[in-house]
Amino acid sequence: NKAAGMEMGLVREFVAQNNTSQIKHVIQILSQEFALSQHPHSRKGGLIGLAACSIALGKDSGLYLKELIEPVLTCFNDADSRLRYYACEALYNIVKVARGSVLPHFNVLFDGLSKLAADPDPNVKSGSELLDRLLKDIVTESNQFDLVGFIPLLRERIYSNNQYARQFIISWILVLESVPDINLLDYLPEILDGLFQILGDNSKEIRKMCEVALGEFLKEIKKNPPSVKFAEMANILVIHCQAADDLIQLTAMCWMREFIQLAGRVMLPYSSGILTAVLPCLSYDDRKKNIKEVANVCNQSLMKLVIPEDDEMDEAKQATAPPAEPASEEPVPEPEAASGGESVFTWAVRSAVRVFRISARVDLVTLNLDGIVQVLDCHLHDTSIGMMTRIAVLKWLYHLYIKTPRKMFRHTDSLFPILLRTLSDESDEVILKDLEVLAEIASSPAGQTEGHGPSETADPRPGQVELHIPGRNSQLSAKGLECSPSTPTMNSYFYKFMINLLKRFSSERKLLETRGAFIIRQLCLLLNAENIFHSMADILLREEDLKFASTMVHTLNTILLTSSELFQLRNQLKDLRTPESRNLFCCLYRSWCHNPVTTVSLCFLTQNYKHAYDLIQKFGDLEVTVDFLTEVDKLVQLIECPIFTCELSGLVLPARGGSRPPNVG
């Protein structure tokens, strides 16, 4: 201390004389011969001397900070914990005197402090914390902090795995966030990944500090969305939305929700990654209820960003791309100018097109539909995913077919097989959504676009029982007349759908028994009952497996006679006055002949009683089997139901061999 006093007096004398060379000489001696000496006592003396010099220099210490700080920081790495403590004390005094003048040296100070934050000696840690608080006060009160120069160091140090180093980093981020003149939000993409890494620390205190820091950033993002670099952080969130740690996943998912809602279509290019992260969360149980709820909002919000214009966006991007040289905009004509041969309507259309083109140049985001479809397809193929995820995938596919049908039909051939397999799902709700997608594919006008048609030879499940596909000259061709003239026209996928649906029923009899009626009834609601029955009857007419054909016809007949969804079709068949209804009856009749009992019931329904009587007369010539008797029993029960009551009231069929009744049909 006596030597330090002498140094202070000597330095003050040199300051008074403005003798900078002697001041540097004194600092050099204290540094080289003492602070960096091999002897511990000499190093201690050198540290005390350098601190004394700084105090003696006062406000002029800023001129010599590099020479004062460097030897002290070297002692931060000393093996002797007492020397490291003295180094903290010395640097504290140097910084306290210099105040804002130390900011140009902030990075080296921060680097040294970040190492001491993890020091095993409690005294050293305590000393470094005092110095750390002093440095934070200086940064807070200054408007000259070099954030740009500091960010690379922060980005490097934020990946430290040491608990104390992480705590030190987060404390500094919280301080920098609180300074009005420091806009850390601009550099958030540089450190966001590191923050999420720290959020998974084992220490509850550090996790809480990190939560607070992330919360503050999110508040700033909500206050000023236009200045936020959403796109640069999207993939970071995608990664952490898939984290195993619940806190990280929930926090990242909350950020993702805000990003989608604040940034809107800016997030569309990252849709495939977002869906990869979000979709599995939709099947979480109550243990992760919070994550599931936020993921659901993310999913719904992202879906709303897809608009019909996305179906034309590629072409619009090319058409509205700005020229190499700025071109003057076409002058917008006034309404009066619409006179010279141009109608007001034409003028309005042209004006609207120009407005669209101008807006498109400003904000044109292309939907990465290929990536989205690939993710959805993968999730449908994954048998381990939960029911709610499968439903969400199917809702996405339906939404995309509604909003972007032209682009989606490029993927239909690849999606079609897995959509057909999904009909075997154990969940009725999944099957319902799957049928909605298939129905949209089968009825969308975009399905008739040239180049999108299905391959006639495509077989989604090799090895299945083959059904004969009618030739082009048949009543219903695979490319054209898929439906009755009285019903809405279906596209080329409709007939392919019917063929492959019957293939599945043929190869999976359990599916036909347990879900067949359910599937067909729903299709009658989603598409058109006449089209469904007309096409299936035509296909079954050529079916080579007669037992399956009989079973399938029986199923269709039961649905026709008992289902409330088929009320209109039944009424159409009861009144065979129009060519369309007679054409439908003839088509059904030919296939219904695969099953004698169903043929009779069809005749009863259509009031062809004379022909029904003729058929019943021939039942005696048939082989009586258990299945046949069962079918007859079911027919007797059906005859007693309201569907036939009004037609058969008063009609008495004679016993075998008796006279025939009059033809009341």
Side-chain angles (χ1 to χ4, degrees):
N1 290 339
K2 183 178 180 181
M6 291 175 63
E7 293 292 346
M8 287 179 66
L10 189 60
V11 170
R12 280 173 179 162
E13 184 180 339
F14 291 148
V15 170
Q17 298 171 1
N18 197 24
N19 192 339
T20 57
S21 61
Q22 287 298 326
I23 294 172
K24 287 185 178 180
H25 182 64
V26 171
I27 294 174
Q28 185 179 16
I29 292 173
L30 289 171
S31 173
Q32 298 298 324
E33 298 185 16
F34 289 91
L36 301 178
S37 170
Q38 298 296 320
H39 303 287
H41 292 295
S42 296
R43 293 201 294 275
K44 176 184 175 183
L47 291 169
I48 294 172
L50 288 169
C53 279
S54 178
I55 294 170
L57 286 166
K59 63 180 182 179
D60 292 330
S61 64
L63 301 172
Y64 309 95
L65 279 176
K66 187 175 185 296
E67 293 81 0
L68 290 167
I69 290 174
E70 285 185 353
V72 178
L73 288 174
T74 301
C75 292
F76 275 14
N77 299 317
D78 200 289
D80 189 340
S81 60
R82 290 174 300 176
L83 263 297
R84 297 198 299 274
Y85 175 77
Y86 290 135
C88 283
E89 193 176 57
L91 192 56
Y92 179 88
N93 285 301
I94 294 170
V95 172
K96 188 175 182 180
V97 172
R99 300 298 294 183
S101 298
V102 303
L103 289 179
H105 308 277
F106 178 81
N107 278 13
V108 293
L109 295 174
F110 181 89
D111 185 50
L113 278 173
S114 67
K115 295 172 182 175
L116 288 189
D119 198 285
D121 187 273
N123 291 325
V124 176
K125 280 187 65 179
S126 178
S128 70
E129 287 169 2
L130 285 173
L131 176 57
D132 181 52
R133 283 197 291 271
L134 174 61
L135 199 56
K136 284 173 180 171
D137 289 341
I138 293 170
V139 169
T140 303
E141 68 190 20
S142 172
N143 59 0
Q144 297 178 347
F145 182 73
D146 182 13
L147 184 60
V148 177
F150 172 60
I151 288 298
L153 179 61
L154 179 60
R155 184 178 60 233
E156 176 192 341
R157 289 284 185 262
I158 203 168
Y159 286 105
S160 171
N161 290 323
N162 183 277
Q163 180 178 330
Y164 298 105
R166 283 179 162 183
Q167 190 171 22
F168 172 79
I169 291 289
I170 290 296
S171 69
W172 267 102
I173 289 174
L174 287 168
V175 167
L176 294 175
E177 274 190 296
S178 68
V179 179
D181 294 331
I182 297 177
N183 187 10
L184 196 55
L185 188 61
D186 282 348
Y187 302 94
L188 184 56
E190 307 273 350
I191 62 173
L192 184 62
D193 180 60
L195 282 171
F196 275 106
Q197 299 274 5
I198 294 176
L199 190 60
D201 195 89
N202 293 327
S203 166
K204 290 184 179 179
E205 183 182 355
I206 294 174
R207 287 164 74 96
K208 186 62 180 177
M209 287 177 66
C210 195
E211 269 193 278
V212 172
L214 286 166
E216 290 300 317
F217 275 123
L218 198 54
K219 285 180 185 177
E220 290 185 48
I221 288 171
K222 291 179 182 179
K223 288 179 183 176
N224 195 13
S227 65
V228 179
K229 300 173 182 176
F230 291 105
E232 294 182 27
M233 295 183 278
N235 283 329
I236 296 172
L237 294 184
V238 166
I239 292 169
H240 293 290
C241 279
Q242 301 173 72
D245 184 282
D246 287 357
L247 179 59
I248 294 177
Q249 189 178 27
L250 176 60
T251 306
M253 200 68 75
C254 289
W255 275 61
M256 184 67 78
R257 175 190 62 197
E258 299 300 331
F259 271 38
I260 295 171
Q261 293 177 350
L262 293 172
R265 287 179 59 84
V266 171
M267 300 296 287
L268 269 186
Y270 308 94
S271 298
S272 57
I274 295 171
L275 288 174
T276 300
V278 167
L279 287 173
C281 302
L282 302 179
S283 294
Y284 282 174
D285 56 26
D286 288 342
R287 289 172 295 180
K288 295 186 176 183
K289 183 180 179 181
N290 292 340
I291 299 174
K292 179 180 179 179
E293 290 175 351
V294 180
N296 187 54
V297 175
C298 289
N299 184 56
Q300 296 296 328
S301 300
L302 186 64
M303 191 179 289
K304 291 176 182 177
L305 297 180
V306 181
I307 55 178
E309 286 76 12
D310 285 315
D311 214 21
E312 310 291 338
M313 198 60 80
D314 288 342
E315 294 81 354
K317 189 173 183 180
Q318 295 173 1
T320 61
E325 295 294 329
S328 59
E329 289 294 338
E330 221 179 7
V332 179
E334 296 296 328
E336 298 82 28
S339 52
E342 182 182 9
S343 67
V344 174
F345 176 79
T346 304
W347 167 82
V349 170
R350 288 178 59 191
S351 300
V353 168
R354 280 193 292 274
V355 170
F356 169 75
R357 286 176 176 172
I358 294 169
S359 62
R361 290 174 191 164
V362 176
D363 183 21
L364 186 62
V365 178
T366 304
L367 177 70
N368 179 18
L369 192 64
D370 293 352
I372 293 176
V373 172
Q374 185 178 6
V375 171
L376 297 175
D377 185 61
C378 286
H379 279 79
L380 270 188
H381 276 88
D382 185 359
T383 56
S384 65
I385 64 169
M387 179 189 73
M388 297 309 297
T389 298
R390 297 198 298 279
I391 291 172
V393 168
L394 292 166
K395 284 182 177 179
W396 259 102
L397 289 172
Y398 181 77
H399 183 71
L400 292 172
Y401 271 109
I402 294 293
K403 298 295 183 181
T404 59
R406 291 175 64 252
K407 287 185 178 179
M408 277 302 292
F409 266 93
R410 300 170 191 169
H411 300 277
T412 300
D413 279 342
S414 62
L415 288 171
F416 204 64
I418 186 61
L419 290 172
L420 286 166
R421 286 199 290 275
T422 305
L423 291 174
S424 300
D425 197 277
E426 59 186 17
S427 164
D428 285 352
E429 195 172 350
V430 171
I431 294 175
L432 279 173
K433 300 310 297 184
D434 190 40
L435 288 171
E436 285 183 20
V437 179
L438 286 164
E440 182 60 30
I441 291 173
S443 60
S444 172
Q448 292 289 18
T449 303
E450 187 177 354
H452 297 334
S455 169
E456 290 187 27
T457 58
D459 183 5
R461 300 221 26 206
Q464 282 190 340
V465 176
E466 290 291 336
L467 294 178
H468 175 72
I469 301 176
R472 291 182 179 273
N473 296 324
S474 68
Q475 185 179 358
L476 297 177
S477 76
K479 293 284 185 180
L481 302 173
E482 301 92 345
C483 50
S484 169
S486 65
T487 63
T489 302
M490 300 291 126
N491 65 32
S492 52
Y493 276 94
F494 173 78
Y495 206 66
K496 180 182 181 182
F497 179 25
M498 294 298 103
I499 290 171
N500 284 277
L501 179 59
L502 289 174
K503 280 185 184 182
R504 292 199 67 78
F505 287 153
S506 177
S507 61
E508 295 185 36
R509 297 302 172 88
K510 186 177 181 182
L511 175 65
L512 176 60
E513 293 170 8
T514 58
R515 299 287 178 79
F518 170 71
I519 290 172
I520 294 170
R521 287 172 61 188
Q522 291 303 317
L523 284 176
C524 289
L525 288 174
L526 293 166
L527 293 169
N528 181 278
E530 183 177 345
N531 284 338
I532 300 293
F533 274 74
H534 205 288
S535 59
M536 285 191 170
D538 185 81
I539 296 166
L540 288 169
L541 185 60
R542 296 155 178 82
E543 169 59 29
E544 296 176 359
D545 183 345
L546 299 181
K547 185 174 182 180
F548 167 70
S550 175
T551 303
M552 193 67 228
V553 164
H554 172 73
T555 302
L556 290 170
N557 187 68
T558 303
I559 296 169
L560 176 63
L561 296 179
T562 62
S563 173
S564 59
E565 292 86 353
L566 276 296
F567 174 78
Q568 186 175 353
L569 188 62
R570 282 196 296 272
N571 285 343
Q572 186 179 345
L573 287 168
K574 288 176 183 178
D575 183 12
L576 299 178
R577 295 179 182 177
T578 66
E580 290 80 15
S581 62
R582 289 195 291 269
N583 178 48
L584 175 62
F585 168 74
C586 291
C587 178
L588 295 182
Y589 182 85
R590 284 192 292 269
S591 281
W592 261 229
C593 286
H594 280 300
N595 187 306
V597 176
T598 60
T599 310
V600 172
S601 66
L602 180 64
C603 291
F604 282 156
L605 177 66
T606 55
Q607 303 182 52
N608 286 290
Y609 301 124
K610 181 179 181 300
H611 187 60
Y613 172 74
D614 291 340
L615 292 175
I616 293 173
Q617 291 280 49
K618 294 183 178 296
F619 278 8
D621 301 330
L622 299 176
E623 180 184 356
V624 179
T625 64
V626 174
D627 291 340
F628 179 75
L629 291 175
T630 303
E631 295 256 350
V632 172
D633 182 60
K634 290 179 180 177
L635 176 60
V636 172
Q637 294 177 37
L638 282 172
I639 289 174
E640 297 174 352
C641 75
I643 294 173
F644 293 119
T645 301
C646 58
E647 287 86 359
L648 299 180
S649 57
L651 175 66
V652 179
L653 294 178
R656 180 172 172 80
S659 61
R660 296 180 179 180
N663 182 8
V664 295

